[in-house]
Structure formats: C-alpha cells, structure tokens
Amino acid sequence: MKIRSGSFNIVFPNVANMRENLFNLEKVFSNFMTPFNLIPIPNEAPPEFPRITATSKNGHSQLMVSGNNVQVTTMFDSHFWNDLASCFSYMEDMRDKILASLSLFGLERENMPAFYYSGLNMQTEFSSEDGIDDPVSFIVGHFFKGNISPDIKDIAFRTTLTVDDTYFVNVEISNHRYLEGTQIVPGSLYGMKETAHTLTVNIDINDRLAFNTKSSYLSGKDTPQKIFELSKKFISKSLPILIERGDIVYV
C-alpha cells in the first residue's frame, strides 16, 4: 500500500476581509514560499472563490484560502509513500497551522478555534506489489454480485459510514490508470501509453454529519484531532479487511 496524497480543510462562516491577514498568514505557514499569491477579486465575490494561494518550499503542498475555507493538499513523494506515520505527522503539522490561522480571521470562541466543520482525505493506492494485478476485476469480484460486462474498462463506487452520530466516513474505491507520452491531438489520449494500473481507495472523514443534524453545531480544536485518529484507525485496521475480504466496516 502507498499513501499518495492527503488533504485537510476547515469550513467556517464567510470572512469578507480575509486578505487583510496575508502577512500574518505567511508567518504561520513559514514553510511555504513567499510572497503568497493574492487573488484580485472583490470581497463581495462568492465566499468559495479563492482569495489566497501558496505553494510549500518543496513544491509538494498547496494552500488555498477562500472566504469560508482553508485547505492544504499534499502530494507525497516516494520517500513518504510507504511511511504512514510520517504522512500523518506532516498532515498533522498542516492541520495545526490551519487551526492557528483561524485566530487571524476572528474565528474564535473563548480563545479557542470555532468553525463549522473540518475533514481529512487520504488517498491510498494498491498495485501488483500488493497482489492486485487487475483492479477492475478486483473491484467487480469483491463488491458486485450482479452480471457486469467483461468489456468494462473503468469502475468506481462510493459508500458512507457514520461514527458517533458526528462523523461521516466516506470510502471511494476505483481503478486508476497512469499515462505517459505526448498528446498528438489536444484533448485526446491518442499517443499516450499506459504505464501502470492501480486500485485507489480514498478515505474522507469529516464531522459534517453533526453540522447537518445538530442545532447550532460548531466544531473546535479537539474535533480535527479525533478525525485524524479515526483516519489512522481506518487505514491501519479497516482498510486491510476491505482489501482482503471486500468488507467495508469501521473496526
């Protein structure tokens, strides 16, 4: 198994003057290249539009700040792929930086971060090294009971578990093809060569269930930590069961 990427985000009420905190934000994310990119849009623009973007000094992580969301997405390199502990340690550092930045935007209650909800997505990958030579056949054999055409090229499905009436555990399973080469015709894959075909499992855990169902719900500092604990547990304990038996459970 490889850990390919991680993404953590926090969603909060709209902050109209988000960009006024640019220089202080650069201090919080000191391992990102400066100056940060300031997007020239009016404060009245829809809050989901990016206001600030930045790239880490090693080029692996992207920071995006919108009017109602802060997100860091990391593409791990080969030194991290097989090191779950290091991947989570890095994402925890990004999580803590995002939490620290909330005070810049006035998103606190009793000197503690207060926001709508947060979520962590970890993308894992399995290949022939893990005994999966044909990801499409693997998915069909493990998760589908009906008749499926033998000509099927790609397949994916998604399911959602719940934990403690608070957290969604979204699991998406699909096949993924890596292509190399030069596109002869723009928009066409003609001329590209498939170099690898893998099974991808995305695990997205968030507390949006509580946000959707509990009156006046606000998330806080402890909730992202719980989300990371749930994600670690799922990847280390539930994911091996999914791959071995095709059972989707939260152990």
Side-chain angles (χ1 to χ4, degrees), residues 1-141:
M1 179 186 75
K2 296 177 180 178
I3 309 295
R4 280 288 186 173
S5 67
S7 180
F8 178 71
N9 75 308
I10 285 181
V11 179
F12 42 78
N14 183 31
V15 179
N17 60 343
M18 178 69 70
R19 289 169 295 188
E20 294 179 6
N21 298 283
L22 176 65
F23 297 115
N24 288 326
L25 191 66
E26 289 178 345
K27 293 178 182 179
V28 173
F29 288 90
S30 58
N31 59 331
F32 280 65
M33 292 187 290
T34 56
F36 286 6
N37 183 31
L38 196 61
I39 310 298
I41 61 173
N43 288 342
E44 297 75 24
E48 62 271 17
F49 285 13
R51 267 65 172 174
I52 301 169
T53 61
T55 302
S56 62
K57 293 177 181 178
N58 59 22
H60 295 307
S61 297
Q62 301 293 322
L63 169 69
M64 187 189 75
V65 181
S66 69
N68 62 359
N69 180 285
V70 179
Q71 175 176 291
V72 171
T73 299
T74 299
M75 303 298 297
F76 296 112
D77 64 21
S78 57
H79 299 292
F80 278 73
W81 286 346
N82 302 113
D83 191 343
L84 182 64
S86 293
C87 289
F88 267 94
S89 178
Y90 182 86
M91 293 307 301
E92 286 166 356
D93 181 54
M94 294 299 100
R95 174 199 67 196
D96 293 344
K97 283 179 166 56
I98 292 178
L99 286 169
S101 72
L102 296 185
S103 63
L104 303 176
F105 311 132
L107 298 168
E108 288 185 324
R109 176 177 289 185
E110 297 178 354
N111 296 320
M112 295 293 289
F115 47 93
Y116 285 157
Y117 60 90
S118 63
L120 173 68
N121 180 289
M122 299 294 288
Q123 184 187 82
T124 64
E125 182 181 83
F126 298 83
S127 64
S128 57
E129 297 175 359
D130 306 291
I132 301 177
D133 297 309
D134 185 344
V136 172
S137 296
F138 178 89
I139 294 173
V140 170

Side-chain angles (χ1 to χ4, degrees), residues 207-227:
D207 60 320
R208 192 167 184 173
L209 174 60
F211 177 72
N212 287 343
T213 58
K214 298 180 181 180
S215 176
S216 302
Y217 176 81
L218 281 179
S219 193
K221 180 181 178 180
D222 293 338
T223 307
Q225 295 177 354
K226 178 66 174 180
I227 287 172

